[in-house]
Amino acid sequence: MIRVTIWYEYVQEAGYVTPELEAALPEEWKARMHEWLPQNSERIRRAYPNGLMESLAKYLRKNPEFTVTMTNLMMPDYGLSDELLDNTDVLIYWSHVLQTVLPDEAAYRVVKHVQAGMGFVPLHSAHQSKPFMYLLGTTGTLRWREGDFCRVWTAAPGHPITEGIPEYIELSEEEMYGEPFDIPKPDDTVFISWFSGGEVFRSGCTWTRGYGRIFYFQPGHETSPSYHNPYILRIIENGVRWAAPVRMRESFECPHIVYSPEDARRPKN
Ligand code: ZN
């Protein structure tokens, strides 16, 4: 049994932010958000009437191999409590506009659990989430343009994440992400995408950090229908299975690293 947690930023789809999150927003955003978020919500609902993460959750739930927990930024502890992460084998993570609002201590909880063995599958715009950047040590910057045709090439056909996936798949509408993608050299570049503007992108990459495995996968813009595509769902499923822990580190203690103020307060064992 693989315990999967899907963490989703959710605010764009919800169309509002909680007062706690609003207080943490940069000043120039506060006025704009009330107009802008409801418009976003409508656009996402058009592509995903049941919610952006729902078709992925439904797909994974069909497989008795997985249990799926849904959580989001608006929940207590930003949906990333130690208790939840302690009970997660693989964390799927989708974030976008409020990446900087997630407090460092929540981001470092994810880092700590990945280093201890939890699998991490950041999707699409999570390339600039704090957990992604803190785990990999780079900025995650890239080129982008909304609304493009995309061909996702299977670049490592022997890799377990490509099981059941053809030589290439085509997405009639997906956001263009292009090189240079500021990441450390991947252990494996599993997929490379080509866009109609001629750009190319390392769209499926793996790393290990500590005991944990990381699979970044690019498709999944919130207004493109990629999470309805059976191949995209299969790739994420394969990625979850690949990222599931082989073994867990028994203790998180590291004398030189305090991950969060909470960790500093926690009694040493
Ligand atoms: Zn996007």
Side-chain angles (χ1 to χ4, degrees), residues 96 124-125 175 177 221-222:
H96 184 209
H124 190 59
S125 38
E175 189 168 37
Y177 277 12
H221 184 63
E222 66 273 17

Side-chain angles (χ1 to χ4, degrees), residues 60-196:
L60 292 175
R61 281 190 178 120
K62 274 189 219 152
N63 189 333
E65 197 185 339
F66 304 120
T67 58
V68 180
T69 303
M70 306 280 279
T71 181
N72 69 61
L73 179 66
M74 300 216 244
M75 293 172 84
D77 294 319
Y78 306 94
L80 294 169
S81 68
D82 264 318
E83 195 191 349
L84 176 64
L85 297 175
D86 281 341
N87 290 292
T88 298
D89 294 315
V90 180
L91 179 67
I92 295 174
Y93 192 99
W94 195 104
S95 61
H96 184 209
V97 292
L98 297 195
Q99 323 243 45
T100 58
V101 168
L102 184 79
D104 279 350
E105 62 183 79
Y108 278 116
R109 280 201 289 274
V110 176
V111 170
K112 176 182 71 176
H113 280 83
V114 174
Q115 290 173 341
M118 181 182 76
F120 184 48
V121 180
L123 297 175
H124 190 59
S125 38
H127 67 91
Q128 275 193 313
S129 64
K130 285 182 175 182
F132 183 93
M133 293 193 295
Y134 295 172
L135 277 160
L136 298 181
T138 51
T139 65
T141 51
L142 44 75
R143 267 169 227 284
W144 62 276
R145 178 178 62 249
E146 251 188 272
D148 214 322
F149 169 85
C150 170
R151 188 172 288 148
V152 183
W153 287 91
T154 299
H159 198 285
I161 294 178
T162 69
E163 197 183 337
I165 305 304
E167 192 176 28
Y168 64 84
I169 59 176
E170 292 184 338
L171 305 172
S172 57
E173 190 203 324
E174 185 46 80
E175 189 168 37
M176 184 281 286
Y177 277 12
E179 299 285 344
F181 184 19
D182 187 24
I183 47 172
K185 279 183 191 167
D187 293 340
D188 286 302
T189 302
V190 185
F191 298 101
I192 296 174
S193 292
W194 173 91
F195 296 85
S196 60

